[in-house]
Amino acid sequence: MESLYLQKYLGKCLTQGLAEMARIRPVDPIEYLALWIYKYKENVAMEQQKQKEMAALERERALALLEQEMMERLKAEELLFQQQQLELQLELEMQEKERQRIEELRRAQEQLEQEAAADSSKTLAEISDRYGAPNLSRVEELDEPLLSDEKSLGFPGEITSVSSRLLGTVPPQGDPCAFTPIEADVSGSPGR
């Protein structure tokens, strides 16, 4: 049982220490072996500390990688969210512009309808006073005598004779308003 204990806790240390002592052959082998065992204990403690530090460093490195991956995912999600927000904002702006355009068209249509209603009640003179309309002078119509008014004016013969000369026709005797064409002589002398 004691040999198991010594073999478990001192076996490796004593084996390596005795092998080292046999190789070097110091003057005081007991002191050398004691110092070597003491140094072996420090080396084992430092090795265990180094392994613990390496394990802690590996854990920290793994955590850092996870954190970096998480930050990259968050940045990607944030970028995606910003793109979606920008697309949504652009869509809302387009809808607002479309709504404003429709509203402007509706207002223009209403204004045209109002102007059309107002213009239909205005006279031609009121419409022509608008900017851009041609500036036309007003013409007043005078009552002129018609051919049916010749008899009442008392000069039917004069009008019909002048008109027959102009038209080249002769009025029949019964009806002063009816005319018959005169055949013209080719030789140049007028005839009936």
Side-chain angles (χ1 to χ4, degrees):
M1 184 127 158
E2 292 172 3
S3 64
L4 289 175
Y5 173 78
L6 289 174
Q7 190 177 11
K8 181 178 179 184
Y9 291 107
L10 293 174
K12 185 176 178 183
C13 173
L14 280 176
T15 306
Q16 288 178 358
L18 289 173
E20 182 71 20
M21 195 173 62
R23 186 177 63 85
I24 293 181
R25 294 180 187 236
V27 177
D28 188 7
I30 295 174
E31 185 179 348
Y32 182 82
L33 185 60
L35 288 174
W36 191 92
I37 291 172
Y38 184 71
K39 182 70 173 160
Y40 179 82
K41 183 180 176 187
E42 284 180 5
N43 287 344
V44 168
M46 283 181 65
E47 188 66 31
Q48 288 176 348
Q49 181 67 26
K50 198 184 258 186
Q51 287 178 356
K52 285 180 184 179
E53 288 176 358
M54 290 297 286
L57 186 61
E58 286 297 320
R59 281 193 304 269
E60 287 178 11
R61 188 175 294 149
L63 288 174
L65 286 174
L66 286 174
E67 187 176 333
Q68 184 179 3
E69 288 175 6
M70 184 179 245
M71 290 298 288
E72 289 175 357
R73 273 189 256 138
L74 285 174
K75 285 181 181 179
E77 287 178 7
E78 182 180 355
L79 189 65
L80 181 64
F81 180 73
Q82 287 175 352
Q83 288 176 346
Q84 289 173 346
Q85 288 290 70
L86 183 62
E87 289 174 0
L88 181 63
Q89 184 179 4
L90 289 174
E91 185 177 336
L92 290 175
E93 287 176 2
M94 288 177 59
Q95 288 176 354
E96 180 65 22
K97 286 180 182 179
E98 184 68 20
R99 188 190 60 77
Q100 288 176 354
R101 187 183 67 81
I102 291 171
E103 184 67 24
E104 288 175 7
L105 288 174
R106 187 186 58 79
R107 284 187 200 142
Q109 183 68 25
E110 288 176 359
Q111 186 178 7
L112 286 174
E113 289 173 359
Q114 289 174 355
E115 287 178 4
D119 287 347
S120 64
S121 63
K122 290 183 180 180
T123 63
L124 182 60
E126 290 172 340
I127 294 172
S128 64
D129 290 341
R130 296 178 73 192
Y131 177 75
N135 190 7
L136 302 175
S137 61
R138 296 179 186 237
V139 177
E140 292 185 23
E141 294 182 14
L142 299 175
D143 290 335
E144 295 179 5
L146 299 174
L147 289 178
S148 60
D149 293 338
E150 289 178 5
K151 292 180 182 176
S152 63
L153 292 176
F155 49 90
E158 295 174 12
I159 292 177
T160 55
S161 64
V162 170
S163 62
S164 63
R165 275 187 250 137
L166 291 174
L167 296 173
T169 59
V170 177
Q173 295 297 333
D175 187 9
C177 292
F179 292 97
T180 57
I182 302 174
E183 293 181 20
D185 190 7
V186 181
S187 64
S189 61
R192 282 198 153 153

